[in-house]
Amino acid sequence: MSAVRAAMTMNAIGEEGSVTSAAAALGYTPSAISQQLLRLEREAGQPLLDRHARGMTATDAGLVLATHARKVLRQLAAAESDLAEIAGVRRGSVTLGTFPTVGSSFLPLAVRRYRELYPNITLTISSGREDHLVRMLEEGTVAMSFLWDYEWQRINNDELVLTELFNDPTVLLVGSTHRLARRRTVRMADLADEPWIIRAGGHPVVEVLQRSAVAAGFTPTIAFQANDYQEAQAMVSVGLGIALAPRTATVNQHPDVRVVSLGDTAPSRRVLVAHRPGRVRSAAELALHEVLVETASTYA
């Protein structure tokens, strides 16, 4: 007799109190339940039920078997739930927002893992500035999105649930022939006399430079305003100046640029993933969230 059928039989008899009621609950005939019970008792080698005029009660052996039967049924229910969850992520779709530096560094690692695990899920990704990403989250255009913040301006939005993924340090970019190119670590105070290349358009890394320079006791001299990090690296490579960048922006590193740590003399940013609270999250979305967290745990 299978363990599943035995568990169902013992559980039903224990809950219903009679063979007839147990048979009705399970959709069997009383004769079939009686035969199953006799078979169980033969296999157990001892009585499982005491029969009397008002019904039946479990013997000590029957109580033990019934306890284990309930555990088996709970485990079966959990297995069914897990299987349903797996089936849910074998199809469907999920949308994700990102920004360029993470989209060109961390995200491809997570996407590769997600597609290995869930090849039939349609993953759609949109890239944009942070204000655009927040708007897409609020409007429901994307289910989840990467965001970032610095310690002096944390994201304060009750409409978002935030999960911190990893810390993205600010690093120094110098040309391969620069006096600091062979250094592993420098301090901002060592850079007071250097010309600087910054991002144009009020980019957040400009505020990082300003705050770091003020803390180190100098005002930076600006030599060039670049439209993106690739342009900034190109100007750094020919010695026009040095620059700051999040480490995620240096994955596609110019061959004539060196990346130097600034230790704790320049602030890092948090990289987060966000979703709207109260959202009914699909199995595909929950699976993606789990993959992002797992990938982040080894990314640093």
Side-chain angles (χ1 to χ4, degrees), residues 15-97:
E15 289 185 348
E16 302 297 334
S18 72
V19 168
T20 302
S21 298
L26 293 174
Y28 295 135
T29 64
S31 174
I33 293 295
S34 296
Q35 290 175 12
Q36 290 180 18
L37 180 57
L38 289 172
R39 191 177 301 117
L40 269 176
E41 290 183 323
R42 283 199 301 270
E43 292 175 358
Q46 54 189 306
L48 300 176
L49 295 170
D50 284 330
R51 297 161 179 80
H52 46 78
R54 295 183 179 180
M56 55 184 63
T57 56
T59 63
D60 289 345
L63 289 172
V64 169
L65 187 57
T67 298
H68 286 289
R70 284 190 287 272
K71 290 181 181 178
V72 169
L73 292 174
R74 285 197 296 270
Q75 289 171 344
L76 285 171
E80 289 177 354
S81 177
D82 290 345
L83 289 171
E85 187 70 14
I86 291 172
V89 296
R90 286 182 175 169
R91 54 189 176 272
S93 62
V94 61
T95 52
L96 175 69

Side-chain angles (χ1 to χ4, degrees), residues 47-296:
L48 300 176
L49 295 170
D50 284 330
R51 297 161 179 80
H52 46 78
R54 295 183 179 180
M56 55 184 63
T57 56
T59 63
D60 289 345
L63 289 172
V64 169
L65 187 57
T67 298
H68 286 289
R70 284 190 287 272
K71 290 181 181 178
V72 169
L73 292 174
R74 285 197 296 270
Q75 289 171 344
L76 285 171
E80 289 177 354
S81 177
D82 290 345
L83 289 171
E85 187 70 14
I86 291 172
V89 296
R90 286 182 175 169
R91 54 189 176 272
S93 62
V94 61
T95 52
L96 175 69
T98 189
F99 52 93
T101 50
V102 162
S104 62
S105 56
F106 169 78
L107 181 55
L109 304 176
V111 169
R112 177 186 297 141
R113 180 59 177 158
Y114 189 66
R115 297 191 70 178
E116 288 173 352
L117 293 172
Y118 312 108
N120 296 322
I121 295 295
T122 301
L123 177 60
T124 302
I125 303 173
S126 298
S127 182
R129 294 172 61 92
E130 191 165 53
D131 55 349
H132 179 59
L133 297 175
V134 171
R135 186 165 64 253
M136 287 196 296
L137 278 168
E138 293 173 343
E139 294 174 352
T141 307
V142 295
M144 306 159 56
S145 182
F146 292 110
L147 300 175
W148 52 264
D149 66 12
Y150 287 96
E151 60 184 358
W152 61 82
Q153 193 173 12
R154 295 303 192 198
I155 296 173
N156 184 19
N157 188 330
D158 293 337
E159 297 301 314
L160 299 177
V161 177
L162 304 174
T163 301
E164 184 173 348
L165 294 176
F166 60 90
N167 195 55
D168 191 13
T170 298
V171 295
L172 178 68
L173 306 180
V174 301
S176 59
T177 60
H178 191 276
R179 65 183 179 87
L180 299 173
R182 295 182 179 274
R183 295 275 295 273
R184 296 186 63 181
T185 303
V186 300
R187 301 181 64 80
M188 284 295 297
D190 300 330
L191 308 172
D193 296 328
E194 297 284 345
W196 289 87
I197 294 169
I198 63 172
R199 289 288 304 274
H203 192 276
V205 78
V206 177
E207 185 171 0
V208 173
L209 173 59
Q210 291 170 341
R211 287 176 174 268
S212 301
V214 168
F218 70 90
T219 300
T221 299
I222 308 304
F224 182 73
Q225 296 190 37
N227 287 307
D228 56 41
Y229 284 116
Q230 294 305 307
E231 189 176 40
Q233 287 197 57
M235 294 300 103
V236 168
S237 73
V238 295
L240 188 62
I242 62 176
L244 298 185
R247 186 177 293 278
T248 51
T250 67
V251 171
N252 300 311
Q253 186 176 335
H254 191 288
D256 293 324
V257 169
R258 302 293 179 264
V259 178
V260 183
S261 171
L262 288 164
D264 60 359
T265 62
S268 59
R269 66 180 180 179
R270 297 190 306 172
V271 174
L272 316 135
V273 63
H275 68 273
R276 287 184 293 115
R279 172 185 174 84
V280 178
R281 308 186 75 190
S282 68
E285 180 182 342
L286 292 171
L288 177 58
H289 189 278
E290 182 177 351
V291 167
L292 293 177
V293 172
E294 289 179 354
T295 305

